[in-house]
Amino acid sequence: MNFKTKSKIIWCKGCGNFGILTALQKAFEQLGLNSNQIMAVYGIGCHGHMANYLRVYNFEAIHGRTLPVAIGAKLANKELKVIAIAGDGDQLGEGGNHLIHASRKNPDITCLIHNNQIYSLTVGQASPTSEKGMKTKTTPQGVVDPQLNPLALGIASGATFVARSFSGDIPHLVNILTQAINHQGFSLVDILQPCVSLNHTNTFTWYRERIYKLEETGYLPNAKNLAFQKSQEWGEKIPTGIFYQEERLTLEEQLLPDKNEILAKQPLETSIKKLLSEFQ
Amino acid sequence: MKENDFNIRIAGEAGYGIASAGLALAKIALRSGYFVFDYSEYPSLIRGGHNIYTLRISGEQIYSPSLPVDFLIALNQDAVDFNKDQLSPQSFILLNSDKASDSGLSSGIRALPIPLVKIALDNKGSEVMMNNVALGAITFLLKAEFSVLESGIREAFSWATSEIIDLNIKVAQKGFDYAKDNFAAEEIKFDLKKIKAKPRLLLTGNDAFGLGAIKAGCKFFAAYPMTPINSLIVYFAAKAKELNLVYFQPEDEIAAINSALGAAVCGVRSMTASSGGGFSLMVEALGMAGMTETPLVIIEGQRPGPSSGMPTWTGQGDLRFVLHASQDDFPRIVLAPGDVEECFWLMIDAFNLAEKYQLPVIVLTDKYLAESRQSINLIDDSKVEIERGKIVSLKDSLQDYHRYEFAQDGVSPRAFIGQTKEPFFTTSYEHNEAGFAAEDIETRKAMMEKRMKKLETLEKEMSQPIIYGSKDAEFGFISWGSNKGIILEAQKILASQRIKTSFLHLNFLNPFPAEAVAEFCQDKQVLLLEQNISGQLAGLIREKTGLKIKDQFLKYDGRPFYPEEIADKVKQIL
Ligand SMILES: Cc1ncc(C[n+]2csc(CCOP(=O)(O)OP(=O)(O)O)c2C)c(N)n1
Ligand code: SF4
């Protein structure tokens, strides 16, 4: 299956977004999906440009609002694989509230945070994941707030699949993405995505020096407290892999009135005779 | 007291079941063959504030509340003090003698004291059951059948245990008996003896929206609770399971509109609703519906603002806001039903137009229309037609499908995400025909023009505003939305005083029927009425027709107009 469009890619040379695009295309192939079985909903940011490069049903939404659009679509057509493609500013700043509630509601959606620890499209302002002390255009004296931790937030809010990967390690990312997409429920994947033009601190090298793989340490992602603890690790060593996974009924399983039917394919004609008679 | 037309008001402290007693009374009247119209006022509190419920009952079709109050059921002293100015010298008060006295009433007004609390308590009921004691008494006084009240109570308490239901019926019976032993029902000239009538429906605007949306095939409703659209949410949510619908309660209004949009691009007819405050949060996504050409129905229930304003009161201050909300220009339709029946039918139009023209349709209502009940003739839903406009499906060849293909009428064939052979592209950025982001001069101009073209196409098939009353009148009203019924009533009053009037009612505010309005204003003196301080419709008429309407009756105190005050205003002007 061909998941490429003919659009010219305008990301900077060496941008971490390339790795994510490639990994997604491979993951879809490995999962044996057709491009007409997948809907991707994008936020606004450099990450969102992928809407022009990935050949699936693309809906490029507004800044921060990927998840509610994705949830509406999933409820309308539960057979679609729905992927929300967001930035760190997009999903953790503008759209933070939606992340909390999507985690809690557990729709069968995969949310990718292209985490480059900076606002890139708007050319270099601090993001909720910028490290404390980092000098950016909006923080000339250095960031004063502590970093927001998307994994801890996801775990605390009830996400049923929480993982981290790195756009510089495509095999690892493909593996995490296939598992995330296969997971029945809300999967949150924090993807470390170097921005080569605007973030000169958190570079490919910086990440490579620190990253290690949880699955190589015998870590099992089935205990919430432990997962929460693990999620706090950042700095000298940065864990990647699946932090937490559990099974729970999805939003669609609970909210859709008829489990066997696709809402979007229901006939619109309906009789309201009985409803009217209740008002007599 | 007009022979055939009677206003009953129940007033007292919030938390004493005034709304449920009111509904029971309205149902008694409806089922006895009468037309009814009700209206409630309550502060934004659950307990303690002063609540009033007013029910107008008539043997003839009625369109709004009216004054004075002919019969007041006063559950406490505030009820007497706050409402005595709206009584006439011929009015009656059923006075809860346990909590209120009749001192200070102007002469003529007849007080009928009854110990409502004592009767409830003596019969093993609780204080909150005094409303049912009062209902029993009024049933006797209006010469209605107790059995009708009994079935009304059973219905209102269908959630309760049989002991509770029996107890409520018992105290109502005691109220009936007390009235029979102590009062003379003949003194009250109005009665609710059963009359022959066709069956009718008793609906609020919100009920009619719910029914209309369901009939129109709306299957996805996302809304965050806010007065005055809450009863619409409750209705839709209650029916969802049985009718295969989804009510989705989102974390905020931003999620509400975005999720409705997500469902819509997959081919589901979807809707969201809020009041002005919640609509404020929706504004960015409203623009996205415009840009992505996604059909969406948005109900905006107005209440007085700005900001939290007066949450449980009514107003029409959001017309300009919904006409212009969101950055830059894109086509949108703005409708404003005038009454319960229009709420139903315009909801059907809203969904059809949204899909035919692939754009957001905003339906304006307000607290008064949303929550007041009106009896109407049965709705013939077989007249409803569903029109989805240009849709391409899997059957059609979709090799080169372009979501935003240029079309003469501005409307590109629409496909649903998830239901085509090949995927296609949708974006909130300016885009080319294929749905890829594009910023070149030609594409930008052509796409802007394509989108705006849809309104021009629509204008050609738009229905024209209705003019009520005498064609040859030299005096005319212009108004919009929920003032319709009130002005129809004012016309009745004026007609009885030999003052001929005509009335142009606008329920279609964008596109604006400029020609019809200009023509109407040509040969008569016009009074414009609306419920905002700046004359938002007046400004719109000026903008669209160049005409300045000098005589304006603007109300912005949170209360609806009354027909009587409108008639007085006309007489001042003439
Ligand atoms: C409502 C709104 N506010 C602000 C913006 C401007 N804006 C566009 S992208 C962006 C931040 C981008 O950062 P991020 O989400 O991390 O994405 P990246 O560009 O790094 O991929 C901002 C602030 C916008 N488009 N919409
Ligand atoms: S600015 Fe950064 S994130 Fe954006 S394309 Fe360039 S490298 Fe990538």
Side-chain angles (χ1 to χ4, degrees):
Chain A
M1 196 75 207
N2 172 10
F3 294 101
K4 294 190 174 99
T5 68
K6 295 189 186 107
S7 299
K8 184 170 159 240
I9 300 187
I10 56 164
W11 285 322
C12 307
K13 197 160 171 277
C15 171
N17 279 316
F18 282 99
I20 305 179
L21 174 61
T22 307
L24 261 178
Q25 289 165 333
K26 288 196 173 177
F28 292 154
E29 264 165 42
Q30 282 190 15
L31 290 166
L33 291 169
N34 276 330
S35 57
N36 72 349
Q37 294 175 305
I38 306 163
M39 175 184 188
V41 185
Y42 302 82
I44 298 294
C46 286
H47 61 275
H49 291 342
M50 199 190 280
N52 300 298
Y53 317 139
L54 183 67
R55 212 176 68 87
V56 297
Y57 288 109
N58 283 337
F59 188 94
E60 184 154 19
I62 46 180
H63 193 41
R65 314 301 169 195
T66 54
L67 288 173
V69 174
I71 290 175
K74 185 73 190 180
L75 287 166
N77 189 338
K78 67 193 174 70
E79 288 192 348
L80 279 170
K81 291 281 180 201
V82 180
I83 323 275
I85 292 175
D88 44 314
D90 185 76
Q91 195 60 76
L92 301 170
E94 193 87 49
N97 196 26
H98 306 312
L99 180 60
I100 296 173
H101 290 276
S103 299
R104 197 183 132 228
K105 289 170 185 290
N106 202 35
D108 185 10
I109 285 170
T110 298
C111 174
L112 313 185
I113 299 183
H114 296 212
N115 187 354
N116 53 17
Q117 300 184 252
I118 192 94
Y119 283 12
S120 295
L121 188 65
T122 42
V123 205
Q125 303 85 356
S127 121
T129 55
S130 296
E131 291 189 23
K132 192 166 165 77
M134 182 174 177
K135 288 193 170 151
T136 73
K137 289 198 179 140
T138 45
T139 57
Q141 319 301 328
V143 169
V144 295
D145 309 311
Q147 254 180 316
L148 195 140
N149 182 332
L151 302 180
L153 182 66
I155 295 165
S157 310
T160 51
F161 182 104
V162 179
R164 176 187 286 137
S165 189
F166 173 45
S167 76
D169 183 350
I170 290 178
H172 185 265
L173 182 53
V174 172
N175 179 287
I176 294 284
L177 289 176
T178 51
Q179 294 192 62
I181 294 168
N182 266 342
H183 172 74
Q184 298 265 309
F186 187 67
S187 46
L188 174 65
V189 187
D190 180 33
I191 306 174
L192 304 172
Q193 176 247 314
C195 166
V196 296
S197 298
L198 300 163
N199 185 336
H200 301 297
T201 311
N202 312 101
T203 60
F204 276 100
T205 316
W206 188 90
Y207 287 121
R208 283 213 172 90
E209 283 167 3
R210 289 166 172 78
I211 280 171
Y212 74 95
K213 295 181 176 136
L214 282 174
E215 54 275 26
E216 290 172 1
T217 65
Y219 175 87
L220 291 177
N222 55 6
K224 211 167 199 170
N225 284 341
L226 192 63
F228 192 78
Q229 234 173 34
K230 252 308 156 211
S231 74
Q232 303 301 310
E233 213 176 300
W234 183 269
E236 291 301 298
K237 292 228 158 269
I238 300 176
T240 59
I242 302 171
F243 285 65
Y244 185 64
Q245 185 166 17
E246 73 170 77
E247 263 181 47
R248 203 170 80 219
L249 281 180
T250 63
L251 176 70
E252 311 83 83
E253 284 169 320
Q254 299 175 87
L255 196 62
L256 287 175
D258 188 336
K259 308 227 157 2
N260 307 312
E261 303 276 2
I262 292 171
L263 203 61
K265 294 186 179 170
Q266 298 298 300
L268 299 190
E269 285 73 16
T270 177
S271 167
I272 56 163
K273 295 263 180 307
K274 179 167 165 284
L275 299 185
L276 287 169
S277 71
E278 291 165 358
F279 289 96
Q280 281 190 18
Chain B
M1 193 181 310
K2 287 152 273 171
E3 282 271 312
N4 205 7
D5 202 320
F6 197 67
N7 291 314
I8 305 180
R9 176 170 294 180
I10 312 176
E13 197 178 319
Y16 277 87
I18 289 172
S20 57
L23 176 56
L25 200 55
K27 288 242 162 144
I28 295 174
L30 180 83
R31 289 169 188 173
S32 303
Y34 295 83
F35 288 93
V36 296
F37 196 108
D38 77 6
Y39 168 64
S40 299
E41 286 184 352
Y42 54 96
S44 187
L45 298 169
I46 300 298
R47 274 183 193 278
H50 184 67
N51 280 16
I52 67 175
Y53 170 88
T54 311
L55 178 69
R56 180 174 173 201
I57 307 171
S58 176
E60 283 162 32
Q61 176 92 56
I62 45 175
Y63 307 99
S64 81
S66 74
L67 287 172
V69 173
D70 300 303
F71 196 105
L72 174 66
I73 301 175
L75 298 181
N76 62 9
Q77 190 60 45
D78 279 352
V80 180
D81 298 342
F82 294 163
N83 295 291
K84 62 183 180 209
D85 292 346
Q86 296 192 331
L87 300 172
S88 81
Q90 290 81 40
S91 300
F92 288 80
I93 303 188
L94 188 76
L95 192 75
N96 180 8
S97 56
D98 294 326
K99 297 211 168 202
S101 86
D102 60 354
S103 60
L105 287 176
S106 41
S107 66
I109 296 174
R110 275 288 311 275
L112 309 173
I114 173 170
L116 296 176
V117 180
K118 184 166 182 302
I119 293 173
L121 296 179
D122 285 353
N123 290 285
K124 302 201 170 60
S126 58
E127 190 172 324
V128 288
M129 289 181 188
M130 68 171 149
N131 57 353
N132 284 321
V133 182
L135 280 180
I138 189 100
T139 302
F140 169 77
L141 290 167
L142 297 183
K143 289 119 345 216
E145 284 161 35
F146 187 79
S147 63
V148 187
L149 172 60
E150 186 177 329
S151 63
I153 293 177
R154 282 189 195 287
E155 211 174 296
F157 286 87
S158 58
W159 48 271
T161 62
S162 61
E163 288 87 63
I164 293 184
I165 296 174
D166 290 346
L167 193 55
N168 276 289
I169 292 170
K170 184 174 162 199
V171 300
Q173 180 71 57
K174 294 292 172 190
F176 187 93
D177 296 345
Y178 186 95
K180 195 168 159 189
D181 296 342
N182 294 281
F183 311 133
E186 317 78 68
E187 282 185 51
I188 295 160
K189 293 287 169 274
F190 187 78
D191 71 57
L192 273 183
K193 283 205 190 91
K194 264 200 175 165
I195 51 177
K196 254 217 164 94
K198 287 184 296 184
R200 296 187 190 107
L201 302 173
L202 185 61
L203 297 175
T204 65
N206 278 347
D207 295 332
F209 275 155
L211 290 164
I214 292 169
K215 182 68 199 177
C218 171
K219 308 235 178 266
F220 186 89
F221 179 35
Y224 187 87
M226 190 167 190
T227 306
I229 51 88
N230 290 335
S231 66
L232 171 61
I233 297 183
V234 171
Y235 183 69
F236 202 93
K239 295 295 171 197
K241 180 94 192 133
E242 169 192 343
L243 300 172
N244 218 346
L245 316 167
V246 172
Y247 165 66
F248 175 65
Q249 182 171 344
E251 55 272 25
D252 55 31
E253 289 83 355
I254 301 176
I257 186 168
N258 280 284
S259 59
L261 215 140
V265 292
C266 292
V268 172
R269 282 195 161 187
S270 37
M271 131 176 122
T272 182
S274 188
S275 186
F279 181 73
S280 301
L281 295 183
M282 296 183 185
V283 165
E284 193 191 9
L286 173 71
M288 174 158 66
M291 186 56 133
T292 60
E293 307 198 38
T294 304
L296 197 59
V297 173
I298 303 161
I299 294 174
E300 212 265 51
Q302 301 162 101
R303 63 193 217 189
S307 195
S308 303
M310 306 210 294
T312 58
W313 299 85
T314 200
Q316 295 183 306
D318 298 352
L319 174 58
R320 280 290 183 178
F321 179 35
V322 305
L323 283 170
H324 302 293
S326 213
Q327 63 269 36
D328 213 329
D329 289 310
F330 58 89
R332 75 187 77 197
I333 292 172
V334 177
L335 308 176
D339 54 28
V340 159
E341 218 161 326
E342 288 188 10
C343 283
F344 180 85
W345 291 104
L346 286 186
M347 198 43 56
I348 308 288
D349 290 346
F351 280 98
N352 284 341
L353 292 170
E355 284 209 317
K356 267 175 87 175
Y357 295 96
Q358 304 175 18
L359 43 64
V361 177
I362 300 163
V363 186
L364 273 171
T365 177
D366 51 49
K367 185 270 173 185
Y368 166 73
L369 177 57
E371 294 189 353
S372 300
R373 286 189 202 88
Q374 190 182 352
S375 56
I376 59 166
N377 290 327
L378 296 185
I379 290 173
D380 178 6
D381 72 321
S382 66
K383 292 214 180 86
V384 170
E385 272 176 49
I386 289 177
E387 296 172 70
R388 304 202 74 176
K390 296 185 204 169
I391 287 176
V392 289
S393 69
L394 206 49
K395 295 189 290 287
D396 308 314
S397 158
L398 275 176
Q399 277 308 327
D400 300 310
Y401 173 67
H402 285 172
R403 172 67 188 89
Y404 301 107
E405 188 182 279
F406 291 118
Q408 275 288 311
D409 57 2
V411 184
S412 320
R414 191 162 73 103
F416 303 142
I417 287 183
Q419 297 190 41
T420 56
K421 264 205 199 75
E422 298 292 322
F424 59 88
F425 305 87
T426 312
T427 174
S428 68
Y429 280 112
E430 186 57 279
H431 43 258
N432 60 22
E433 288 178 276
F436 291 115
E439 298 183 341
D440 63 279
I441 295 171
E442 256 165 56
T443 308
R444 163 65 179 174
K445 283 179 66 184
M447 273 299 159
M448 247 346 232
E449 287 155 15
K450 171 191 123 62
R451 286 189 294 269
M452 296 306 281
K453 180 84 191 177
K454 296 192 285 186
L455 270 196
E456 272 174 50
T457 309
L458 163 61
E459 254 171 271
K460 287 182 208 129
E461 65 159 309
M462 201 174 77
S463 59
Q464 291 302 305
I466 298 181
I467 296 170
Y468 300 89
S470 327
K471 292 269 168 310
D472 57 342
E474 281 164 19
F475 183 90
F477 296 102
I478 290 190
S479 192
W480 63 280
S482 69
N483 302 323
K484 176 183 166 186
I486 306 166
I487 297 174
L488 293 178
E489 291 283 349
Q491 286 188 289
K492 276 204 254 173
I493 297 174
L494 291 164
S496 72
Q497 297 164 10
R498 295 178 195 285
I499 301 174
K500 274 195 200 170
T501 62
S502 65
F503 165 34
L504 180 134
H505 177 248
L506 291 159
N507 57 17
F508 230 102
L509 292 149
N510 202 54
F512 189 78
E515 267 175 43
V517 171
E519 198 187 333
F520 180 80
C521 294
Q522 228 166 38
D523 54 353
K524 55 179 84 61
Q525 186 179 1
V526 172
L527 174 66
L528 173 139
L529 296 100
E530 56 184 316
Q531 293 188 52
N532 56 62
I533 197 169
S534 61
Q536 297 187 14
L537 173 65
L540 187 63
I541 292 175
R542 185 93 197 260
E543 175 192 324
K544 300 287 185 184
T545 65
L547 295 169
K548 185 172 180 183
I549 298 180
K550 187 171 90 304
D551 290 316
Q552 302 180 4
F553 190 3
L554 306 175
K555 194 167 177 175
Y556 40 87
D557 58 8
R559 280 74 177 165
F561 285 109
Y562 276 89
E564 292 75 14
E565 64 182 343
I566 295 175
D568 288 347
K569 179 83 180 181
V570 172
K571 282 181 274 177
Q572 269 170 35
I573 299 174
L574 288 178

